[in-house]
Amino acid sequence: MSDFSKSSVFALGQENTAYAQYFIGKSYLNMLSTQGVVIGNVTFEPGCRNNWHIHHAAKDGGQILLVTGGHGWYQEWEKPARALQAGDVVHIPAGVKHWHGAAKDSWFVHLAVEVPGQQISTEWLEPVTDAAYHALECAE
């Protein structure tokens, strides 16, 4: 474990084995709230990223990312990637295909806030390719 992961505002949590099939690299999950508003503290090791995915909802829904540490990336389908650092906020409306994860050489931590909605679900899609991911690192 790195010194960075030990200095996080919230506890690291357990290795995210339940969702490991949707990540390239290792992540950790500490569920902070599962009632009312679902909030998870997600920590990504350097180079870790999740697959493309969509948060579906019949009404409202979506996700908010509150970046609390490190450097990472957020990208919506067919749009340029956005570099992220502590203090950044990302609003992800329901129905938007996207991915997020750590920069190649940095741990990355965010709170993932599930926006309440009706008939919500997450559709996990294809991985972000190594070629596409490493091209972002070159542009950083």
Side-chain angles (χ1 to χ4, degrees):
M1 225 34 60
S2 78
D3 289 337
F4 175 83
S5 64
K6 293 176 185 173
S7 69
S8 181
V9 174
F10 298 102
L12 179 67
Q14 299 297 313
E15 186 174 338
N16 191 7
T17 55
Y19 291 89
Q21 65 184 324
Y22 307 119
F23 283 73
I24 294 174
K26 193 180 289 186
S27 68
Y28 301 85
L29 178 62
N30 177 10
M31 292 307 299
L32 302 177
S33 173
T34 57
Q35 298 179 4
V37 176
V38 176
I39 304 171
N41 182 60
V42 185
T43 302
F44 300 77
E45 288 188 340
C48 178
R49 63 216 183 249
N50 54 32
N51 289 5
W52 289 97
H53 59 286
I54 301 170
H55 302 284
H56 293 287
K59 182 178 179 190
D60 300 321
Q63 187 177 55
I64 300 169
L65 305 179
L66 306 172
V67 181
T68 60
H71 296 276
W73 292 100
Y74 168 77
Q75 185 174 18
E76 294 180 2
W77 187 252
E78 298 184 337
K79 292 188 179 180
R82 173 181 164 193
L84 299 175
Q85 61 185 1
D88 286 339
V89 177
V90 180
H91 293 269
I92 308 165
V96 172
K97 184 176 179 178
H98 68 283
W99 70 271
H100 34 102
K104 180 178 162 188
D105 299 321
S106 176
W107 285 79
F108 178 61
V109 185
H110 65 55
L111 299 180
V113 181
E114 185 179 290
V115 177
Q118 295 177 1
Q119 299 173 355
I120 58 173
S121 65
T122 301
E123 178 184 9
W124 290 98
L125 303 164
E126 70 274 12
V128 176
T129 66
D130 287 343
Y133 178 75
H134 292 297
L136 294 175
E137 297 301 318
C138 294
E140 194 172 34

